[in-house]
Structures are given as structure tokens and as C-alpha cells.
Amino acid sequence: RSRWSQAAAAKNASKESSKVSKESSKASKAVTVASTAETARDVARQVRREAAAALERQAAALRAEVSSDDDEEEEVAEGDWGAQFSSDEDEDEDAALDAALRGSDTEDEEEGEMRDDDDEDTEEKEAADDEEEEIDEEEAPGVSAPPPSKGPGKLSLVDKMRAKLSGGQFRMLNEALYTTTGDRALDMVQDSPGMFAAYHQGFREQTKEWPVRPLDLCVRWLRTQPSTAAVADFGCGDAELARAAPQTTVHSFDLESDAPGVVACNMAQVPLPDASVEVAVFSLSLMGTDYGAFLEEAHRVLKVGGVLWIAEVRSRFDGSAGHASVSSFLAVCAQLGFVLKGKPDESNTMFFIVHLVKGKGAARAGAKVRGKAGATPGSGLKWPKLKACIYKRR
Ligand code: SAH
């Protein structure tokens, strides 16, 4: 709260000082046109007095904010994120600040009359920002839940700013995960402990209003499998699968373990023995640019005859400009030693689901040597690039 409010107060203060100089220049113009020097001086004096009073109010507000800065630590963490993942975030923060400025202007009684060029500029900028958001929504190739039902005026200004910021953080982390390797993602997470709580929460927010979630379909399928089957959930998020599946053994892996039972690791290297599980699940988790290493790892830990269950966002496989199509992706899975079981389930427009069975033969990844941490063990397979899944602004 405090850093934003400080920034807001500072922004107000600078706005006020630009008003002061504008008003003083108005005042000097008034001096030249005034019929008597006496009247002009009065006008100028009055204008300066009002402007100085406004500036003093802003300075007092700023001082009050600085002294009530009690949640410093939280703010530092937020600042760090901003520094680490820039751009998009800044827009959000700017918009939030602008909104805050509009809100806090009520303190200024003269504001109604004193709408100047400055204010108009700000409004134009906001209108342009809004437009950008809409275009974003239309063009984004990703998926999105419907906007939350936020009765207008029900959220406080601070709540709104927070929601906007955390949405921005979620989208940035999400994008970061889709554009880097598993090892780098793990470094990033380890450098900023706690960061992923917000990611998982953001992910839940995005998916909770989907008509069907892949995770629910996975649980439904697992109910048809023996309860003794050992399951490995690759990229488990907050480990909902482990809680909902009827199987006694569910190994949950994710970059950060903020839910009980989750093993924190890069899932290209999970701490499971070879051929130790009957099921490997990837529910919307083929995120890294080296996602092939995740699948090769799944192949390693699966028993022959075990099932690889994958749900992925359909738009990631549109086959455009060097990107994967479902069939080019499945072709490499086949080279790895996975046999397609049935047809890909394409009944859902957002994502598709495949069941693949680890066959006896091929197993090129079975021969791979595990590299030291940080190295990508090469299977020699050429995995086609998957598009990043960018979630829309809400
Ligand atoms: N499977 C869950 C969560 C999906 S979100 C569900 O369907 O609800 C994708 C998850 O994959 C995120 O939690 C992300 O942290 C995780 N992830 C991405 N890359 C990873 C990696 N290299 N190692 C471990 N987890 C990873």
C-alpha cells in the first residue's frame, strides 16, 4: 500500500507543482492584460496562494504516507518482482496509479474547475490504455475465464490496485515460464522464495470458471484406474490432483512446494527411480522451452505399459511458422517410445487430451545419461516448438 501511495502522493505533488507554474504563468499573463497593476497583483497573489496551499496539502499527504509505512517487507518483495519482470507490469501499475490519482483528487475542492490540459492528457492516456486492453483480449491466442463478477464500486481502490497488480504478476510469471528452460525457471523461483504462491493463486483464478478443467478430467480418468497405480504429477501446481485422485500414491512435482507433499524440483529431473510409476500426468504443464526433457523424464520413470496423460492448450499446437502441430508433436512422442492409445480427445475447444502408453521398444531416452544439474540430458530427439500460452487480462 505504502509504496504505491507514496508514489501516488509524489505524482500528485509533481502535478500540483506543474499547476503552480502554470498558474503563475497565467498570473503573469494576467499582469499584462490587467487594466490596473493593482488588480493584476491581487490576481497573481491569490493564484499563488491557492497553488501553494494545494502543494502544501500534497506534501502533508506524502509525509503521512512515509511515516505510516509499516508493511515495508511486502512492498520490497513486490518491488523485486517488478524489477525482475518489467514491461506489462509497469502498464498495470501506471493505470492503477492513475486510477488512484483520480480517486484521491476528491480532496482537492478546486479540482472541478481546475481541470487543465494535464488532466485531459491523463484521460486520453487512460482511454488509450483501455483500448489496448480490449485489443489484447481479442488478439490473445490464449484462454481466459470470464471476468469476475465485481459489482462496480464494491472493491476498495486499494483492492482493485492489488488485484490488478497480482493479475499482472501472474501473467508475467506465466510468460517467463513459457519462454525459459526448466533449470532457469527453477533458479528464478529459488531466487525469490514465495513467489509462486501468487502464481498458483493466479492460475486457479484463471481456471476456476472454465466449464471443464483438464485436472477434473484427469481425476475422472484416474477413477477408472487401479487405486494401487503409482502416479507422478509433473507440474502439479498446488497439488489438487493428489488430493482428488483415488490412488494412494501420487508424487507431486513443481518448482516450488507451497502445498503439502509437493517435491520442489525442475521436473526434467525428478527424484524417482527408473520404471517406478504406472501413470505420468502433465496437466497444462509443458511450459519450458525444453519441455521435451520433461517428457523424456516421464518416459524414464514410467513402467513399460504405463500411461502418459497429457492435457495441453490447443492453440499451442497450431502448426504455424515452425511451431508444433498435434501430429508433429505426437510423432516425436512415438520416437521416444510412446504409443498413442485411442485418438487424441479433441472434444474440448480449449485444450486436447492424449493418452500414450510406454512401449517395450524404442526407449531412446532410456539410454540417456543423466547430466549434472543444469545440463540438459540429450536424447537427440527434435521436439517441435510449442507456442507460449498467454493468458488474457481480466
Ligand atoms: N497441473 C496443475 C497446474 C498447472 S500450471 C493443474 O492442471 O491445475 C503448470 C505448472 O507447471 C505450474 O505450477 C508450474 O510451476 C509448473 N512447472 C512449469 N515448469 C516446471 C518445471 N520445469 N518443473 C516443475 N514444474 C514446472
Side-chain angles (χ1 to χ4, degrees), residues 185-219:
L186 185 63
D187 286 346
M188 183 175 93
V189 168
Q190 286 173 344
D191 283 350
S192 316
M195 179 165 76
F196 264 54
Y199 179 83
H200 296 317
Q201 193 191 333
F203 182 80
R204 282 280 157 263
E205 284 295 312
Q206 288 283 342
T207 59
K208 77 178 177 202
E209 289 165 72
W210 290 6
V212 199
R213 299 176 313 154
L215 195 107
D216 299 322
L217 297 176
C218 187
V219 171

PDB file of all heavy atoms in Angstrom, residues 185-219:
ATOM      1  N   ALA A 185      13.986 -21.695 -14.885  1.00  0.00           N
ATOM      2  CA  ALA A 185      12.762 -21.410 -14.125  1.00  0.00           C
ATOM      3  C   ALA A 185      12.980 -21.758 -12.651  1.00  0.00           C
ATOM      4  O   ALA A 185      12.588 -21.011 -11.756  1.00  0.00           O
ATOM      5  CB  ALA A 185      11.594 -22.205 -14.697  1.00  0.00           C
ATOM      6  N   LEU A 186      13.662 -22.872 -12.419  1.00  0.00           N
ATOM      7  CA  LEU A 186      13.925 -23.281 -11.028  1.00  0.00           C
ATOM      8  C   LEU A 186      14.825 -22.251 -10.327  1.00  0.00           C
ATOM      9  O   LEU A 186      14.566 -21.865  -9.185  1.00  0.00           O
ATOM     10  CB  LEU A 186      14.561 -24.672 -10.994  1.00  0.00           C
ATOM     11  CG  LEU A 186      14.773 -25.261  -9.598  1.00  0.00           C
ATOM     12  CD1 LEU A 186      13.447 -25.472  -8.874  1.00  0.00           C
ATOM     13  CD2 LEU A 186      15.536 -26.592  -9.667  1.00  0.00           C
ATOM     14  N   ASP A 187      15.857 -21.782 -11.033  1.00  0.00           N
ATOM     15  CA  ASP A 187      16.736 -20.740 -10.454  1.00  0.00           C
ATOM     16  C   ASP A 187      15.925 -19.512 -10.074  1.00  0.00           C
ATOM     17  O   ASP A 187      16.081 -18.947  -8.993  1.00  0.00           O
ATOM     18  CB  ASP A 187      17.800 -20.285 -11.474  1.00  0.00           C
ATOM     19  CG  ASP A 187      18.883 -21.341 -11.646  1.00  0.00           C
ATOM     20  OD1 ASP A 187      18.963 -22.257 -10.815  1.00  0.00           O
ATOM     21  OD2 ASP A 187      19.631 -21.242 -12.643  1.00  0.00           O
ATOM     22  N   MET A 188      15.060 -19.125 -10.999  1.00  0.00           N
ATOM     23  CA  MET A 188      14.244 -17.920 -10.793  1.00  0.00           C
ATOM     24  C   MET A 188      13.388 -18.068  -9.535  1.00  0.00           C
ATOM     25  O   MET A 188      13.313 -17.165  -8.705  1.00  0.00           O
ATOM     26  CB  MET A 188      13.355 -17.791 -12.029  1.00  0.00           C
ATOM     27  CG  MET A 188      12.475 -16.608 -12.108  1.00  0.00           C
ATOM     28  SD  MET A 188      11.674 -16.659 -13.748  1.00  0.00           S
ATOM     29  CE  MET A 188      10.173 -17.525 -13.365  1.00  0.00           C
ATOM     30  N   VAL A 189      12.789 -19.240  -9.400  1.00  0.00           N
ATOM     31  CA  VAL A 189      11.910 -19.487  -8.253  1.00  0.00           C
ATOM     32  C   VAL A 189      12.720 -19.529  -6.968  1.00  0.00           C
ATOM     33  O   VAL A 189      12.322 -18.972  -5.945  1.00  0.00           O
ATOM     34  CB  VAL A 189      11.141 -20.802  -8.473  1.00  0.00           C
ATOM     35  CG1 VAL A 189      10.451 -21.244  -7.212  1.00  0.00           C
ATOM     36  CG2 VAL A 189      10.143 -20.624  -9.596  1.00  0.00           C
ATOM     37  N   GLN A 190      13.889 -20.153  -7.039  1.00  0.00           N
ATOM     38  CA  GLN A 190      14.704 -20.257  -5.824  1.00  0.00           C
ATOM     39  C   GLN A 190      15.255 -18.885  -5.410  1.00  0.00           C
ATOM     40  O   GLN A 190      15.488 -18.647  -4.230  1.00  0.00           O
ATOM     41  CB  GLN A 190      15.837 -21.265  -6.031  1.00  0.00           C
ATOM     42  CG  GLN A 190      15.308 -22.690  -6.013  1.00  0.00           C
ATOM     43  CD  GLN A 190      16.353 -23.729  -6.387  1.00  0.00           C
ATOM     44  OE1 GLN A 190      17.399 -23.407  -6.947  1.00  0.00           O
ATOM     45  NE2 GLN A 190      16.066 -24.992  -6.081  1.00  0.00           N
ATOM     46  N   ASP A 191      15.440 -18.018  -6.378  1.00  0.00           N
ATOM     47  CA  ASP A 191      15.925 -16.667  -6.060  1.00  0.00           C
ATOM     48  C   ASP A 191      14.869 -15.828  -5.358  1.00  0.00           C
ATOM     49  O   ASP A 191      15.181 -14.859  -4.690  1.00  0.00           O
ATOM     50  CB  ASP A 191      16.337 -15.919  -7.344  1.00  0.00           C
ATOM     51  CG  ASP A 191      17.673 -16.410  -7.840  1.00  0.00           C
ATOM     52  OD1 ASP A 191      18.341 -17.156  -7.096  1.00  0.00           O
ATOM     53  OD2 ASP A 191      18.047 -16.067  -8.989  1.00  0.00           O
ATOM     54  N   SER A 192      13.611 -16.137  -5.585  1.00  0.00           N
ATOM     55  CA  SER A 192      12.528 -15.343  -4.973  1.00  0.00           C
ATOM     56  C   SER A 192      11.541 -16.263  -4.282  1.00  0.00           C
ATOM     57  O   SER A 192      10.452 -16.494  -4.790  1.00  0.00           O
ATOM     58  CB  SER A 192      11.782 -14.535  -6.028  1.00  0.00           C
ATOM     59  OG  SER A 192      12.655 -13.931  -6.909  1.00  0.00           O
ATOM     60  N   PRO A 193      11.916 -16.811  -3.131  1.00  0.00           N
ATOM     61  CA  PRO A 193      11.034 -17.756  -2.456  1.00  0.00           C
ATOM     62  C   PRO A 193       9.664 -17.124  -2.176  1.00  0.00           C
ATOM     63  O   PRO A 193       9.586 -15.941  -1.875  1.00  0.00           O
ATOM     64  CB  PRO A 193      11.754 -18.055  -1.137  1.00  0.00           C
ATOM     65  CG  PRO A 193      13.158 -17.586  -1.323  1.00  0.00           C
ATOM     66  CD  PRO A 193      13.128 -16.506  -2.353  1.00  0.00           C
ATOM     67  N   GLY A 194       8.634 -17.923  -2.321  1.00  0.00           N
ATOM     68  CA  GLY A 194       7.291 -17.418  -2.028  1.00  0.00           C
ATOM     69  C   GLY A 194       6.589 -16.862  -3.254  1.00  0.00           C
ATOM     70  O   GLY A 194       5.383 -16.680  -3.270  1.00  0.00           O
ATOM     71  N   MET A 195       7.368 -16.631  -4.290  1.00  0.00           N
ATOM     72  CA  MET A 195       6.818 -16.003  -5.480  1.00  0.00           C
ATOM     73  C   MET A 195       5.689 -16.832  -6.099  1.00  0.00           C
ATOM     74  O   MET A 195       4.728 -16.299  -6.628  1.00  0.00           O
ATOM     75  CB  MET A 195       7.962 -15.857  -6.483  1.00  0.00           C
ATOM     76  CG  MET A 195       7.605 -15.261  -7.784  1.00  0.00           C
ATOM     77  SD  MET A 195       9.097 -14.752  -8.651  1.00  0.00           S
ATOM     78  CE  MET A 195       9.728 -16.296  -9.233  1.00  0.00           C
ATOM     79  N   PHE A 196       5.820 -18.154  -5.986  1.00  0.00           N
ATOM     80  CA  PHE A 196       4.874 -18.989  -6.707  1.00  0.00           C
ATOM     81  C   PHE A 196       3.524 -19.160  -6.042  1.00  0.00           C
ATOM     82  O   PHE A 196       2.595 -19.645  -6.672  1.00  0.00           O
ATOM     83  CB  PHE A 196       5.507 -20.326  -7.065  1.00  0.00           C
ATOM     84  CG  PHE A 196       6.024 -20.244  -8.464  1.00  0.00           C
ATOM     85  CD1 PHE A 196       6.892 -19.211  -8.801  1.00  0.00           C
ATOM     86  CD2 PHE A 196       5.604 -21.112  -9.437  1.00  0.00           C
ATOM     87  CE1 PHE A 196       7.342 -19.065 -10.085  1.00  0.00           C
ATOM     88  CE2 PHE A 196       6.053 -20.981 -10.731  1.00  0.00           C
ATOM     89  CZ  PHE A 196       6.927 -19.960 -11.057  1.00  0.00           C
ATOM     90  N   ALA A 197       3.414 -18.759  -4.794  1.00  0.00           N
ATOM     91  CA  ALA A 197       2.095 -18.798  -4.169  1.00  0.00           C
ATOM     92  C   ALA A 197       1.153 -17.958  -5.026  1.00  0.00           C
ATOM     93  O   ALA A 197       0.040 -18.375  -5.342  1.00  0.00           O
ATOM     94  CB  ALA A 197       2.177 -18.257  -2.754  1.00  0.00           C
ATOM     95  N   ALA A 198       1.634 -16.786  -5.437  1.00  0.00           N
ATOM     96  CA  ALA A 198       0.811 -15.886  -6.252  1.00  0.00           C
ATOM     97  C   ALA A 198       0.550 -16.491  -7.623  1.00  0.00           C
ATOM     98  O   ALA A 198      -0.533 -16.349  -8.182  1.00  0.00           O
ATOM     99  CB  ALA A 198       1.502 -14.540  -6.407  1.00  0.00           C
ATOM    100  N   TYR A 199       1.551 -17.204  -8.140  1.00  0.00           N
ATOM    101  CA  TYR A 199       1.346 -17.821  -9.458  1.00  0.00           C
ATOM    102  C   TYR A 199       0.230 -18.857  -9.394  1.00  0.00           C
ATOM    103  O   TYR A 199      -0.689 -18.864 -10.218  1.00  0.00           O
ATOM    104  CB  TYR A 199       2.638 -18.489  -9.965  1.00  0.00           C
ATOM    105  CG  TYR A 199       2.400 -19.128 -11.310  1.00  0.00           C
ATOM    106  CD1 TYR A 199       2.462 -18.361 -12.464  1.00  0.00           C
ATOM    107  CD2 TYR A 199       2.031 -20.462 -11.417  1.00  0.00           C
ATOM    108  CE1 TYR A 199       2.181 -18.906 -13.693  1.00  0.00           C
ATOM    109  CE2 TYR A 199       1.747 -21.023 -12.647  1.00  0.00           C
ATOM    110  CZ  TYR A 199       1.831 -20.244 -13.782  1.00  0.00           C
ATOM    111  OH  TYR A 199       1.525 -20.788 -14.992  1.00  0.00           O
ATOM    112  N   HIS A 200       0.314 -19.722  -8.393  1.00  0.00           N
ATOM    113  CA  HIS A 200      -0.697 -20.775  -8.281  1.00  0.00           C
ATOM    114  C   HIS A 200      -2.080 -20.176  -8.053  1.00  0.00           C
ATOM    115  O   HIS A 200      -3.067 -20.643  -8.612  1.00  0.00           O
ATOM    116  CB  HIS A 200      -0.347 -21.744  -7.148  1.00  0.00           C
ATOM    117  CG  HIS A 200       0.928 -22.498  -7.410  1.00  0.00           C
ATOM    118  ND1 HIS A 200       1.221 -23.028  -8.642  1.00  0.00           N
ATOM    119  CD2 HIS A 200       1.982 -22.800  -6.628  1.00  0.00           C
ATOM    120  CE1 HIS A 200       2.409 -23.617  -8.597  1.00  0.00           C
ATOM    121  NE2 HIS A 200       2.887 -23.481  -7.384  1.00  0.00           N
ATOM    122  N   GLN A 201      -2.123 -19.124  -7.256  1.00  0.00           N
ATOM    123  CA  GLN A 201      -3.405 -18.484  -6.998  1.00  0.00           C
ATOM    124  C   GLN A 201      -3.953 -17.868  -8.292  1.00  0.00           C
ATOM    125  O   GLN A 201      -5.130 -18.015  -8.613  1.00  0.00           O
ATOM    126  CB  GLN A 201      -3.224 -17.405  -5.936  1.00  0.00           C
ATOM    127  CG  GLN A 201      -4.543 -16.918  -5.384  1.00  0.00           C
ATOM    128  CD  GLN A 201      -4.341 -15.674  -4.540  1.00  0.00           C
ATOM    129  OE1 GLN A 201      -3.258 -15.470  -3.979  1.00  0.00           O
ATOM    130  NE2 GLN A 201      -5.369 -14.856  -4.455  1.00  0.00           N
ATOM    131  N   GLY A 202      -3.071 -17.222  -9.035  1.00  0.00           N
ATOM    132  CA  GLY A 202      -3.478 -16.628 -10.305  1.00  0.00           C
ATOM    133  C   GLY A 202      -3.978 -17.687 -11.273  1.00  0.00           C
ATOM    134  O   GLY A 202      -4.969 -17.498 -11.970  1.00  0.00           O
ATOM    135  N   PHE A 203      -3.294 -18.819 -11.286  1.00  0.00           N
ATOM    136  CA  PHE A 203      -3.692 -19.908 -12.175  1.00  0.00           C
ATOM    137  C   PHE A 203      -5.083 -20.411 -11.796  1.00  0.00           C
ATOM    138  O   PHE A 203      -5.937 -20.616 -12.661  1.00  0.00           O
ATOM    139  CB  PHE A 203      -2.667 -21.039 -12.093  1.00  0.00           C
ATOM    140  CG  PHE A 203      -2.980 -22.173 -13.020  1.00  0.00           C
ATOM    141  CD1 PHE A 203      -2.664 -22.104 -14.359  1.00  0.00           C
ATOM    142  CD2 PHE A 203      -3.620 -23.310 -12.538  1.00  0.00           C
ATOM    143  CE1 PHE A 203      -2.969 -23.145 -15.224  1.00  0.00           C
ATOM    144  CE2 PHE A 203      -3.927 -24.365 -13.392  1.00  0.00           C
ATOM    145  CZ  PHE A 203      -3.600 -24.275 -14.739  1.00  0.00           C
ATOM    146  N   ARG A 204      -5.299 -20.581 -10.512  1.00  0.00           N
ATOM    147  CA  ARG A 204      -6.621 -21.022 -10.038  1.00  0.00           C
ATOM    148  C   ARG A 204      -7.696 -20.032 -10.451  1.00  0.00           C
ATOM    149  O   ARG A 204      -8.773 -20.408 -10.880  1.00  0.00           O
ATOM    150  CB  ARG A 204      -6.627 -21.159  -8.508  1.00  0.00           C
ATOM    151  CG  ARG A 204      -5.969 -22.397  -8.001  1.00  0.00           C
ATOM    152  CD  ARG A 204      -6.872 -23.631  -8.100  1.00  0.00           C
ATOM    153  NE  ARG A 204      -6.056 -24.843  -8.133  1.00  0.00           N
ATOM    154  CZ  ARG A 204      -5.701 -25.496  -9.231  1.00  0.00           C
ATOM    155  NH1 ARG A 204      -6.138 -25.113 -10.407  1.00  0.00           N
ATOM    156  NH2 ARG A 204      -4.942 -26.559  -9.179  1.00  0.00           N
ATOM    157  N   GLU A 205      -7.382 -18.735 -10.286  1.00  0.00           N
ATOM    158  CA  GLU A 205      -8.343 -17.699 -10.677  1.00  0.00           C
ATOM    159  C   GLU A 205      -8.707 -17.841 -12.155  1.00  0.00           C
ATOM    160  O   GLU A 205      -9.857 -17.727 -12.537  1.00  0.00           O
ATOM    161  CB  GLU A 205      -7.739 -16.297 -10.466  1.00  0.00           C
ATOM    162  CG  GLU A 205      -7.709 -15.860  -9.025  1.00  0.00           C
ATOM    163  CD  GLU A 205      -9.108 -15.696  -8.460  1.00  0.00           C
ATOM    164  OE1 GLU A 205      -9.942 -15.056  -9.128  1.00  0.00           O
ATOM    165  OE2 GLU A 205      -9.373 -16.235  -7.365  1.00  0.00           O
ATOM    166  N   GLN A 206      -7.670 -18.093 -12.968  1.00  0.00           N
ATOM    167  CA  GLN A 206      -7.904 -18.207 -14.410  1.00  0.00           C
ATOM    168  C   GLN A 206      -8.792 -19.397 -14.733  1.00  0.00           C
ATOM    169  O   GLN A 206      -9.636 -19.332 -15.611  1.00  0.00           O
ATOM    170  CB  GLN A 206      -6.570 -18.379 -15.161  1.00  0.00           C
ATOM    171  CG  GLN A 206      -5.707 -17.147 -15.214  1.00  0.00           C
ATOM    172  CD  GLN A 206      -6.208 -16.125 -16.239  1.00  0.00           C
ATOM    173  OE1 GLN A 206      -6.993 -16.443 -17.128  1.00  0.00           O
ATOM    174  NE2 GLN A 206      -5.767 -14.896 -16.088  1.00  0.00           N
ATOM    175  N   THR A 207      -8.570 -20.513 -14.040  1.00  0.00           N
ATOM    176  CA  THR A 207      -9.233 -21.755 -14.463  1.00  0.00           C
ATOM    177  C   THR A 207     -10.528 -22.055 -13.724  1.00  0.00           C
ATOM    178  O   THR A 207     -11.281 -22.910 -14.156  1.00  0.00           O
ATOM    179  CB  THR A 207      -8.298 -22.966 -14.273  1.00  0.00           C
ATOM    180  OG1 THR A 207      -7.927 -23.059 -12.900  1.00  0.00           O
ATOM    181  CG2 THR A 207      -7.045 -22.842 -15.124  1.00  0.00           C
ATOM    182  N   LYS A 208     -10.774 -21.346 -12.626  1.00  0.00           N
ATOM    183  CA  LYS A 208     -11.901 -21.790 -11.798  1.00  0.00           C
ATOM    184  C   LYS A 208     -13.241 -21.640 -12.504  1.00  0.00           C
ATOM    185  O   LYS A 208     -14.187 -22.334 -12.162  1.00  0.00           O
ATOM    186  CB  LYS A 208     -11.889 -21.103 -10.434  1.00  0.00           C
ATOM    187  CG  LYS A 208     -12.374 -19.687 -10.411  1.00  0.00           C
ATOM    188  CD  LYS A 208     -12.347 -19.146  -8.995  1.00  0.00           C
ATOM    189  CE  LYS A 208     -12.774 -17.687  -9.026  1.00  0.00           C
ATOM    190  NZ  LYS A 208     -12.313 -16.945  -7.883  1.00  0.00           N
ATOM    191  N   GLU A 209     -13.295 -20.734 -13.481  1.00  0.00           N
ATOM    192  CA  GLU A 209     -14.581 -20.565 -14.152  1.00  0.00           C
ATOM    193  C   GLU A 209     -14.640 -21.259 -15.513  1.00  0.00           C
ATOM    194  O   GLU A 209     -15.576 -21.068 -16.260  1.00  0.00           O
ATOM    195  CB  GLU A 209     -14.903 -19.075 -14.261  1.00  0.00           C
ATOM    196  CG  GLU A 209     -15.231 -18.502 -12.889  1.00  0.00           C
ATOM    197  CD  GLU A 209     -15.207 -16.988 -12.872  1.00  0.00           C
ATOM    198  OE1 GLU A 209     -16.131 -16.406 -13.440  1.00  0.00           O
ATOM    199  OE2 GLU A 209     -14.262 -16.419 -12.315  1.00  0.00           O
ATOM    200  N   TRP A 210     -13.606 -22.036 -15.818  1.00  0.00           N
ATOM    201  CA  TRP A 210     -13.675 -22.802 -17.063  1.00  0.00           C
ATOM    202  C   TRP A 210     -14.795 -23.826 -16.921  1.00  0.00           C
ATOM    203  O   TRP A 210     -14.974 -24.406 -15.836  1.00  0.00           O
ATOM    204  CB  TRP A 210     -12.372 -23.570 -17.304  1.00  0.00           C
ATOM    205  CG  TRP A 210     -11.196 -22.709 -17.640  1.00  0.00           C
ATOM    206  CD1 TRP A 210     -11.140 -21.335 -17.630  1.00  0.00           C
ATOM    207  CD2 TRP A 210      -9.891 -23.165 -18.017  1.00  0.00           C
ATOM    208  NE1 TRP A 210      -9.871 -20.927 -17.973  1.00  0.00           N
ATOM    209  CE2 TRP A 210      -9.096 -22.022 -18.215  1.00  0.00           C
ATOM    210  CE3 TRP A 210      -9.333 -24.422 -18.206  1.00  0.00           C
ATOM    211  CZ2 TRP A 210      -7.764 -22.112 -18.600  1.00  0.00           C
ATOM    212  CZ3 TRP A 210      -8.006 -24.505 -18.588  1.00  0.00           C
ATOM    213  CH2 TRP A 210      -7.241 -23.359 -18.789  1.00  0.00           C
ATOM    214  N   PRO A 211     -15.507 -24.088 -18.016  1.00  0.00           N
ATOM    215  CA  PRO A 211     -16.593 -25.080 -17.949  1.00  0.00           C
ATOM    216  C   PRO A 211     -16.052 -26.448 -17.502  1.00  0.00           C
ATOM    217  O   PRO A 211     -16.675 -27.129 -16.696  1.00  0.00           O
ATOM    218  CB  PRO A 211     -17.121 -25.142 -19.377  1.00  0.00           C
ATOM    219  CG  PRO A 211     -16.560 -23.957 -20.079  1.00  0.00           C
ATOM    220  CD  PRO A 211     -15.369 -23.451 -19.334  1.00  0.00           C
ATOM    221  N   VAL A 212     -14.904 -26.852 -18.044  1.00  0.00           N
ATOM    222  CA  VAL A 212     -14.255 -28.086 -17.593  1.00  0.00           C
ATOM    223  C   VAL A 212     -12.767 -27.790 -17.462  1.00  0.00           C
ATOM    224  O   VAL A 212     -12.192 -27.134 -18.328  1.00  0.00           O
ATOM    225  CB  VAL A 212     -14.330 -29.222 -18.641  1.00  0.00           C
ATOM    226  CG1 VAL A 212     -14.072 -30.562 -17.983  1.00  0.00           C
ATOM    227  CG2 VAL A 212     -15.595 -29.186 -19.417  1.00  0.00           C
ATOM    228  N   ARG A 213     -12.174 -28.308 -16.412  1.00  0.00           N
ATOM    229  CA  ARG A 213     -10.728 -28.136 -16.279  1.00  0.00           C
ATOM    230  C   ARG A 213     -10.060 -29.475 -16.592  1.00  0.00           C
ATOM    231  O   ARG A 213     -10.576 -30.527 -16.207  1.00  0.00           O
ATOM    232  CB  ARG A 213     -10.367 -27.710 -14.864  1.00  0.00           C
ATOM    233  CG  ARG A 213     -10.961 -26.391 -14.419  1.00  0.00           C
ATOM    234  CD  ARG A 213     -10.628 -26.116 -12.967  1.00  0.00           C
ATOM    235  NE  ARG A 213     -10.886 -27.288 -12.130  1.00  0.00           N
ATOM    236  CZ  ARG A 213     -10.272 -27.544 -10.982  1.00  0.00           C
ATOM    237  NH1 ARG A 213      -9.354 -26.731 -10.523  1.00  0.00           N
ATOM    238  NH2 ARG A 213     -10.575 -28.618 -10.281  1.00  0.00           N
ATOM    239  N   PRO A 214      -8.905 -29.451 -17.243  1.00  0.00           N
ATOM    240  CA  PRO A 214      -8.208 -30.706 -17.536  1.00  0.00           C
ATOM    241  C   PRO A 214      -8.006 -31.544 -16.264  1.00  0.00           C
ATOM    242  O   PRO A 214      -8.146 -32.764 -16.292  1.00  0.00           O
ATOM    243  CB  PRO A 214      -6.864 -30.244 -18.086  1.00  0.00           C
ATOM    244  CG  PRO A 214      -7.091 -28.883 -18.599  1.00  0.00           C
ATOM    245  CD  PRO A 214      -8.191 -28.272 -17.790  1.00  0.00           C
ATOM    246  N   LEU A 215      -7.726 -30.851 -15.183  1.00  0.00           N
ATOM    247  CA  LEU A 215      -7.491 -31.565 -13.933  1.00  0.00           C
ATOM    248  C   LEU A 215      -8.694 -32.429 -13.526  1.00  0.00           C
ATOM    249  O   LEU A 215      -8.540 -33.557 -13.061  1.00  0.00           O
ATOM    250  CB  LEU A 215      -7.187 -30.534 -12.841  1.00  0.00           C
ATOM    251  CG  LEU A 215      -6.587 -31.147 -11.596  1.00  0.00           C
ATOM    252  CD1 LEU A 215      -5.118 -30.798 -11.519  1.00  0.00           C
ATOM    253  CD2 LEU A 215      -7.305 -30.672 -10.357  1.00  0.00           C
ATOM    254  N   ASP A 216      -9.900 -31.888 -13.721  1.00  0.00           N
ATOM    255  CA  ASP A 216     -11.106 -32.650 -13.374  1.00  0.00           C
ATOM    256  C   ASP A 216     -11.222 -33.886 -14.260  1.00  0.00           C
ATOM    257  O   ASP A 216     -11.617 -34.961 -13.812  1.00  0.00           O
ATOM    258  CB  ASP A 216     -12.356 -31.783 -13.545  1.00  0.00           C
ATOM    259  CG  ASP A 216     -12.323 -30.571 -12.629  1.00  0.00           C
ATOM    260  OD1 ASP A 216     -11.849 -30.718 -11.488  1.00  0.00           O
ATOM    261  OD2 ASP A 216     -12.764 -29.485 -13.055  1.00  0.00           O
ATOM    262  N   LEU A 217     -10.879 -33.692 -15.550  1.00  0.00           N
ATOM    263  CA  LEU A 217     -10.968 -34.832 -16.471  1.00  0.00           C
ATOM    264  C   LEU A 217      -9.923 -35.885 -16.107  1.00  0.00           C
ATOM    265  O   LEU A 217     -10.172 -37.092 -16.234  1.00  0.00           O
ATOM    266  CB  LEU A 217     -10.770 -34.365 -17.917  1.00  0.00           C
ATOM    267  CG  LEU A 217     -11.849 -33.384 -18.394  1.00  0.00           C
ATOM    268  CD1 LEU A 217     -11.555 -32.884 -19.797  1.00  0.00           C
ATOM    269  CD2 LEU A 217     -13.236 -34.039 -18.348  1.00  0.00           C
ATOM    270  N   CYS A 218      -8.785 -35.430 -15.646  1.00  0.00           N
ATOM    271  CA  CYS A 218      -7.739 -36.370 -15.245  1.00  0.00           C
ATOM    272  C   CYS A 218      -8.212 -37.186 -14.035  1.00  0.00           C
ATOM    273  O   CYS A 218      -8.051 -38.412 -13.996  1.00  0.00           O
ATOM    274  CB  CYS A 218      -6.453 -35.615 -14.917  1.00  0.00           C
ATOM    275  SG  CYS A 218      -5.079 -36.728 -14.607  1.00  0.00           S
ATOM    276  N   VAL A 219      -8.808 -36.490 -13.076  1.00  0.00           N
ATOM    277  CA  VAL A 219      -9.305 -37.192 -11.886  1.00  0.00           C
ATOM    278  C   VAL A 219     -10.372 -38.219 -12.302  1.00  0.00           C
ATOM    279  O   VAL A 219     -10.366 -39.360 -11.833  1.00  0.00           O
ATOM    280  CB  VAL A 219      -9.881 -36.191 -10.848  1.00  0.00           C
ATOM    281  CG1 VAL A 219     -10.598 -36.919  -9.727  1.00  0.00           C
ATOM    282  CG2 VAL A 219      -8.772 -35.304 -10.303  1.00  0.00           C
TER     283      VAL A 219
END
